[in-house]
Every structure is written in C-alpha cells, then in structure tokens.
Amino acid sequence: MFTIGDFAQYGRVSARMLRHYDAIGLLRPARTDPVSGYRFYEAAQLARLNRIIALKDLGFSLQQMGAILAEEVSVPELRGMLRLRRAELEAARTAAEARLAQVEARLRTIESEGRMSADDVVVKRTGTVLLAELSGTAAGYGPEDIGPVITPLYAELCRLLETAGVTPAGPGLAYYEDVPEPNGGSGRPAEGSEGKDAIVVHAGMVITEEALAKAATAGAASGRPAADTSGRPGTPTATGLGFDVVTLPGLDSAATVVHRGPMSRILPTAQNLAHWIDANGYRSAGYARELYLECPPDQEKWVTEIQEPVVRA
C-alpha cells in the first residue's frame, strides 16, 4: 500500500486533491489508520484516479464525474468525450494543447491497464556522478509542470557548458526534491500538510573533474572566479561559470525501467513501475531520477531510464 504522498506522486496529482476526493466520496483510500487518520492507497486505485483526472480535464463537474463513474464509463466513451471536448476547445487551441496532451496520456494509461509488462524492470545500484546543473522550481510533479521548467534549463545549461569549453562526459540526468521547508526541513509532504506541491527541478549533465578544472583555469585567467567543488556530496556548489556542480551520490537500490518516447507520455511507464514496486514487496524512497540515454531532435526516438529509489516494504 502507498501513503497519500506516494500515491499522489504516482498519479501526478496533489495530496490535497486526494483528500478532497476522499471527502466527497469520489475516491476513498483503501485504508485509513483509525489512530493517526493517515490515508493509504493501493496501486489498483490508480485506474479510478486516471478516469477521474481524464474526466476533470475534459471539463466535467465533480457531480457529473460521480455519475459517469457510477455507470462504469468505457474507454470508447471516454474517447468520444475527448473528441467533443476537442471540438469545443478549437477556438482556444494554443491554450488547450497542453491539457489535451495530458488527457491523451491518461487515456493511453487506461487503455494499457492489465496489459503492461513489467519484465523490463531491474533493481540495481547506480553510481556516483559529477554533474553540471541548473535548477528551477516547478508547480507540481506532472509533465505539464516539469516540461516548461526543465526544457529551458537544459537549453541554457548546454549553452553555458559550450561557452565554458566543458564537454559532457555522459548523458543528462534530472533529479527532483521537495521545496525545502522554511525551517530547513525537507522530504515529501506529510499527511495533513497543505500547499507543498512545488518541487525543485535539477537539470544536470555528467562531466569530469578534469574538464571542470580546465574550464575553471581558463575562467580564472579571464578574471572569473575559480570553480568550487569542495561542497559535501549532494550539495550543489557554484562554479563561477554560470552553472553549479554537484557530486550526486548513487542510489543503493533503484527500480529502473526504460521509457521510450517523449517525457510528456511518461505516465504509463511510471505507473507500470508503481505496479511492479507494489507487487514485489518494495516501497518508494524518493522521487525518481531520469537518465536521458538518447535525446535526438525527434522526441519519439528518445530513450530515458527511470530510476526510482526503493527499499523493502
């Protein structure tokens, strides 16, 4: 079973939304602890959540969603609703495109329920890497929130690396963290917390100490501050070259799976991984990392390894 925070991550929704759906009877948790009041969900409940979000993004009210779900709406019916909604949004095509893409991702996930193979999931250790990185803050963990933040970060990072004369020594690697609490705390939102959906996005490229030292030397000769890599592992430090560097520790145990295609369609892969984790006696230990193995101009040909830190349940 998953905590409300973990379930919200897999569904790419907020914990606050899940609490609201519980309150109105649209999606009840599988179990609620009678003492603490904490909510727990099962992976099988992702199917109902997918339908709720698809109907919500199609413009249905909560009352209408309840009635439609009670009639066990079929995938063809959802497809029909999507076509009607697309026609209604034709005049606002530009503003609606991102939302429609997410509806399509939900429908793809619904269509593949019960047919997704988890044979390609591998649990392994990952190595420590030195990253050049830029960071930003996204409003949430959904592709529609991450994409507009991480895409310009990587474009700027590649420009800065080229300017500094640093050639990447490996693929891009993105990782995520919750926005730190004002008192210095961190971690996933706890049960009962509100407004903690924003996350820090780290867009990184693997580099070498030698390449960084060479760039730092050239930078010092031109009057720029020398690069500093003396910070503790996992803590980004400034280089004076426009980007930060971080020694990112490896993961002791990561459930990994390869995603093919654009990251806007990550949902089926991520939820397939969630089913595997639940079925094999693990639980998530943090946000998944994304290792971009192949990123040609055609995003349909992208190959990305999803690395979810896990521990035994």
Side-chain angles (χ1 to χ4, degrees):
M1 301 188 85
F2 301 108
T3 65
I4 191 171
D6 287 342
F7 190 76
Q9 176 189 338
Y10 290 126
R12 299 313 199 255
V13 299
S14 68
R16 179 171 51 193
M17 183 179 291
L18 291 176
R19 286 191 285 273
H20 181 55
Y21 288 162
D22 179 17
I24 64 176
L26 201 57
L27 180 60
R28 300 287 195 188
R31 183 174 72 85
T32 301
D33 189 286
V35 177
S36 65
Y38 286 8
R39 299 167 174 86
F40 296 91
Y41 295 79
E42 296 176 341
Q45 292 181 279
L46 289 168
R48 183 174 178 88
L49 178 60
N50 288 333
R51 285 165 169 78
I52 291 171
I53 301 303
L55 292 170
K56 172 179 175 290
D57 286 346
L58 285 169
F60 288 97
S61 68
L62 294 175
Q63 184 177 4
Q64 290 171 326
M65 282 191 279
I68 292 171
L69 291 171
E71 296 176 2
E72 297 184 355
V73 61
S74 67
V75 173
E77 289 171 328
L78 280 172
R79 282 287 183 187
M81 295 173 189
L82 175 60
R83 285 192 293 269
L84 289 174
R85 183 60 172 163
R86 182 178 287 121
E88 294 172 356
L89 293 172
E90 202 64 38
R93 178 187 297 271
T94 301
E97 280 180 350
R99 175 173 289 182
L100 289 172
Q102 293 311 308
V103 173
E104 184 68 21
R106 294 284 175 178
L107 290 175
R108 285 175 180 270
T109 304
I110 293 169
E111 289 171 335
S112 63
E113 286 165 7
R115 297 189 291 107
M116 294 186 294
S117 172
D119 293 340
D120 293 332
V121 177
V122 176
V123 177
K124 64 183 182 182
R125 294 174 61 93
T126 66
T128 297
V129 292
L130 181 67
L131 295 180
E133 69 165 47
L134 292 176
S135 301
T137 302
Y141 195 55
E144 71 279 8
D145 299 314
I146 299 297
V149 175
I150 201 169
T151 299
L153 285 178
Y154 267 115
E156 177 65 5
L157 178 60
C158 290
R159 185 191 70 80
L160 290 170
L161 289 174
E162 183 177 3
T163 299
V166 177
T167 301
L173 190 156
Y175 65 102
Y176 305 92
E177 299 175 308
D178 289 308
V179 174
E181 298 285 355
N183 62 2
S186 62
R188 292 188 181 176
E191 178 73 23
S193 63
E194 300 289 347
K196 303 296 193 300
D197 298 325
I199 63 170
V200 179
V201 179
H202 297 272
M205 296 290 294
V206 177
I207 60 172
T208 64
E209 289 278 5
E210 292 76 16
L212 183 62
K214 182 178 179 181
T217 300
S222 63
R224 293 196 303 264
D228 177 11
T229 60
S230 61
R232 68 180 188 276
T235 302
T237 57
T239 62
L241 300 171
F243 54 84
D244 296 335
V245 292
V246 60
T247 301
L248 188 67
L251 299 172
D252 291 334
S253 180
T256 65
V257 67
V258 172
H259 170 71
R260 299 181 185 277
M263 295 304 290
S264 60
R265 294 208 300 265
I266 188 65
L267 192 62
T269 304
Q271 292 194 0
N272 185 27
L273 186 58
H275 280 280
W276 187 95
I277 290 171
D278 193 34
N280 287 271
Y282 289 93
R283 62 178 176 84
S284 176
Y287 288 110
R289 296 177 181 179
E290 298 160 3
L291 184 66
Y292 304 111
L293 300 174
E294 297 179 22
C295 296
D298 183 359
Q299 292 191 16
E300 293 295 330
K301 298 180 180 179
W302 279 23
V303 179
T304 307
E305 182 179 80
I306 310 303
Q307 304 174 342
E308 177 105 8
V310 293
V311 295
R312 280 293 180 183

